[in-house]
Amino acid sequence: MSDSDAILAANAAYYRAFASGDFATMSSIWADDGVSCVHPGWPALIGRDAVLDSYRDILHSQNRVRIAYREDTAIVAGEEARVLCVEIVEGAAALAATNCYRRVDGAWRMTHHQASPIAAPLEEIEPSVRGRLN
Amino acid sequence: MSDSDAILAANAAYYRAFASGDFATMSSIWADDGVSCVHPGWPALIGRDAVLDSYRDILHSQNRVRIAYREDTAIVAGEEARVLCVEIVEGAAALAATNCYRRVDGAWRMTHHQASPIAAPLEEIEPSVRGRLN
């Protein structure tokens, strides 16, 4: 498997853990140190404790949203990588998401996540999204 | 100078180039490859050409906003680094910004920028900001 494929697979695992509310897996996806996260509308969370506490709350919430993702693109530079993708929240709102990874003992662990609202209507971002989601 | 100080200095140079509308300096701040950028409300831009085109337009715009930054925190991992900071746009709106850097020939070059609106009122994010800006 190429680095790019491995990183996109790690990125897919992140969204699976989110979708299933699997905090134990989410905890293992994140790196042990040097992590940060900006959830939509939130200030930055810095450090593993703050980031994982936020995911525990989000994954255990009754109101956890359904997130699909599209257009995942990997950028690799040695032991660090980034995936840019579009998150579709509840089939309606589009977010521009950046997920950063570091290779640790052969596995790509997450070091940073940021998702921010895209102002354009969903149809302009990806005309076929609604058709595929519905 | 420590890595952390050097990265915070590189981050300061980015905001100086933005404030002065200096596209030539902005162009040299960004790395030659593997770059991406998510401006507030925008979908992701991937690749140096797309990113630099956006900065040319923004820096040459008559409506370029005034951006101050606060609470800059550096996270370093070998040849890669990230700065999290709060951008204050026109003294009013707060954004959570992430700026990623890679060490190239001893210099920290920017590889990614993303800024996303913080939903909380500015006073809750940093009570003293208004006093310092006014």
Side-chain angles (χ1 to χ4, degrees):
Chain A
M1 188 184 286
S2 70
D3 277 352
S4 181
D5 287 347
I7 292 154
L8 294 177
N11 199 56
Y14 166 79
Y15 287 104
R16 271 200 308 277
F18 194 99
S20 58
D22 182 348
F23 178 71
T25 297
M26 184 62 82
S27 182
S28 69
I29 283 170
W30 281 87
D32 292 338
D33 52 25
V35 303
S36 52
C37 180
V38 182
H39 296 296
W42 293 37
L45 303 172
I46 298 177
R48 184 173 162 90
D49 287 351
V51 172
L52 268 296
D53 281 353
S54 77
Y55 277 95
R56 186 184 291 107
D57 290 347
I58 291 168
L59 296 182
H60 292 170
S61 166
Q62 300 288 339
N63 303 317
R64 189 172 84 252
V65 292
R66 188 171 56 98
I67 299 180
Y69 71 96
R70 299 285 182 265
E71 302 177 43
D72 47 332
T73 302
I75 297 173
V76 192
E79 304 305 297
E80 304 279 332
R82 214 174 319 135
V83 175
L84 287 296
C85 61
V86 176
E87 296 183 355
I88 311 293
V89 179
E90 295 289 335
L95 305 177
T98 304
N99 299 318
C100 298
Y101 297 88
R102 182 192 312 143
R103 183 152 38 194
V104 182
D105 298 334
W108 290 100
R109 307 277 301 279
M110 194 172 237
T111 54
H112 176 73
H113 167 80
Q114 183 164 6
S116 44
I118 302 176
L122 188 55
E123 291 80 355
E124 289 183 18
I125 297 158
E126 198 192 12
S128 62
V129 161
R130 285 191 182 280
R132 277 189 271 153
L133 286 175
N134 290 341
Chain B
M1 188 185 286
S2 72
D3 277 353
S4 181
D5 287 346
I7 293 153
L8 293 178
N11 198 56
Y14 166 79
Y15 287 104
R16 271 199 310 275
F18 193 98
S20 58
D22 182 349
F23 178 70
T25 297
M26 184 62 84
S27 183
S28 70
I29 284 170
W30 281 87
D32 292 338
D33 53 23
V35 304
S36 52
C37 179
V38 183
H39 295 296
W42 292 38
L45 303 172
I46 298 178
R48 183 173 163 91
D49 287 351
V51 171
L52 269 294
D53 281 352
S54 76
Y55 277 95
R56 186 183 293 107
D57 289 347
I58 291 167
L59 295 183
H60 292 170
S61 166
Q62 301 287 340
N63 302 317
R64 189 172 85 251
V65 292
R66 190 171 54 99
I67 299 180
Y69 70 97
R70 300 286 182 265
E71 302 177 41
D72 48 331
T73 301
I75 298 174
V76 192
E79 304 305 296
E80 302 280 333
R82 214 173 320 135
V83 175
L84 288 297
C85 61
V86 176
E87 294 183 355
I88 311 293
V89 179
E90 295 288 334
L95 305 176
T98 303
N99 298 317
C100 298
Y101 298 88
R102 180 192 313 142
R103 184 156 34 196
V104 182
D105 297 334
W108 289 99
R109 307 277 302 276
M110 195 172 237
T111 55
H112 175 74
H113 167 80
Q114 183 165 7
S116 44
I118 302 176
L122 189 58
E123 291 79 357
E124 288 181 18
I125 297 159
E126 198 191 14
S128 61
V129 162
R130 283 192 183 281
R132 278 190 271 153
L133 286 176
N134 291 341

